[in-house]
Structures are given as C-alpha cells and as structure tokens.
Amino acid sequence: MQIDLANWISVFIALVATASAAITYAVYRSSTDPEVIVYVDTDKKRPSLIILIIENIGKGPAENISFETSRDLPEKAFSIVEPQSMPETMISGPIVDGIPFLAPGQKIIISWGQYGGLKKYLGVNNITVKAKYRRANSMFWFNRSSSSSQLFVEAFYGTDISDANWDKKISETLIKTNEQLKSIDKAIKKLGSGES
C-alpha cells in the first residue's frame, strides 16, 4: 500500500493545524491564567522590616488559594539582632488559612519580621512554598494550577535598611516650616500693631 503525494500533503496540513491549535491554546492560557507567588522583600516605608508578599502576577483571577510549606513559617520575628529565644510559629493568616480570591496584580502584604528574628528561625535554609489555586470562574473543576516559591532571608544580610520614607520626611519638614511661618506672621502682626 503506497501513500501518494496528496495523502502526504493532507497529513502534513493536519499536523500544522494541530500544532497551530496547540500554540493558540498555550498563548490563550498564558494571557488568562493566574499565577500566585510568595516572596520576601524589605518594606520601603518602615526601615528594617522584612515583609512577606503574596501576589497574583498572572493575567486572570485566582480563587481557593491554599499553601503548602516545606516547614513551618515564623511569625512576628521582630529583632534586628539575632534574639536569644526562638520566634513564634505562624498559626494563622493567609499562608495558614488560605485566600478565597486574588485579582490580577493584587498583593497581600504580611509584616513578617526583622532580619535577626527571621535568621534565628530560618537559619541559612530556604523555605519552599507551593501555592495551589483555581482560575476563578473556570467551567472545569480540574482546572487547578500551582506554583512554587522560595523564601529566604540570608540575602538581606547587610542590605540598606535606612529610612527611605521621603514622603513622611517631607511632610514633617513642611509641618515644621508652617509652624515657623505662623510664628513669624504673629511677630510681624505684633510689630505692625505697635505691641511689644
């Protein structure tokens, strides 16, 4: 049985159509699926504070978000230098209890601690966090996604923890300037009215 040229062309066109459909579906999914990640950063408005951020960096909303960690997370580990006692273990909050819904680009920020307290709890080991979630409004029950993140604090050793909250500093300076201008205004009015 010999396949003629017309049949080979038909098979080739069918393969191209299948590949095209697969690529189109992959592009569609990447532009509509959520992706929930968990990461650590410094708080730019509160010096020395390290925050834990849960963020949907995907293009679609995520729902029924749950988290699995490679080991327990610390909670309120506030100490710049490494403390004598071990910080408490996280027993509630979004990582433990889950999150019902995260819109695209939405973040949940947790005040996690300071370098010394977190270093005492974590040591040099990372914690792996696996987020499991569904695409909100999905018609398929099996449409469950997951993503994995690494939490670490060792990289924050020696980083800049100075107060960079310039909005607050400018506001405080303007308030002081305003008070000085009021006292100058009162002094000028006294001089103008002849009071001494």
Side-chain angles (χ1 to χ4, degrees):
M1 183 161 139
Q2 188 176 15
I3 299 179
D4 63 353
L5 183 61
N7 288 338
W8 278 110
I9 293 173
S10 296
V11 169
F12 178 72
I13 290 175
L15 289 174
V16 168
T18 303
S20 176
I23 291 169
T24 301
Y25 181 71
V27 169
Y28 166 75
R29 289 295 302 262
S30 69
S31 67
T32 61
D33 278 358
E35 185 172 358
V36 177
I37 62 170
V38 182
Y39 61 98
V40 180
D41 201 359
T42 55
D43 191 325
K44 308 301 184 229
K45 299 218 180 227
R46 297 177 289 174
S48 82
L49 200 62
I50 295 176
I51 54 178
L52 193 60
I53 302 169
I54 303 165
E55 183 177 2
N56 180 0
I57 62 169
K59 304 288 187 196
E63 68 180 2
N64 299 329
I65 307 157
S66 62
F67 301 92
E68 293 176 2
T69 58
S70 58
R71 63 187 182 123
D72 290 336
L73 294 177
E75 177 176 59
K76 299 176 185 166
F78 298 110
S79 180
I80 292 176
V81 296
E82 202 166 312
Q84 296 294 325
S85 60
M86 188 64 77
E88 296 179 22
T89 299
M90 189 179 287
I91 57 172
S92 65
I95 297 282
V96 176
D97 302 325
I99 303 170
F101 184 86
L102 263 181
Q106 185 178 3
K107 295 179 186 180
I108 293 179
I109 299 174
I110 301 166
S111 297
W112 201 26
Q114 292 168 303
Y115 179 78
L118 293 168
K119 173 82 168 113
K120 173 79 174 184
Y121 195 96
L122 298 176
V124 294
N125 300 319
N126 296 347
I127 294 179
T128 302
V129 179
K130 185 174 185 179
K132 294 181 177 182
Y133 46 90
R134 281 177 26 101
R135 184 184 192 297
N137 307 319
S138 176
M139 295 181 286
F140 305 110
W141 61 270
F142 59 85
N143 194 9
R144 192 109 171 120
S145 300
S146 66
S147 56
S148 187
S149 304
Q150 295 284 324
L151 304 181
F152 54 89
V153 295
E154 189 64 28
F156 292 98
Y157 177 75
T159 57
D160 181 17
I161 59 168
S162 58
D163 190 356
N165 191 355
W166 294 106
D167 296 342
K168 180 181 175 187
K169 290 178 181 179
I170 290 171
S171 174
E172 289 170 351
T173 303
L174 287 173
I175 289 171
K176 288 178 185 174
T177 303
N178 191 30
E179 289 170 358
Q180 291 172 343
L181 289 172
K182 284 181 182 178
S183 65
I184 291 171
D185 184 51
K186 284 182 185 178
I188 291 173
K189 285 181 181 178
K190 278 185 179 180
L191 285 174
S193 64
E195 296 177 26
S196 46

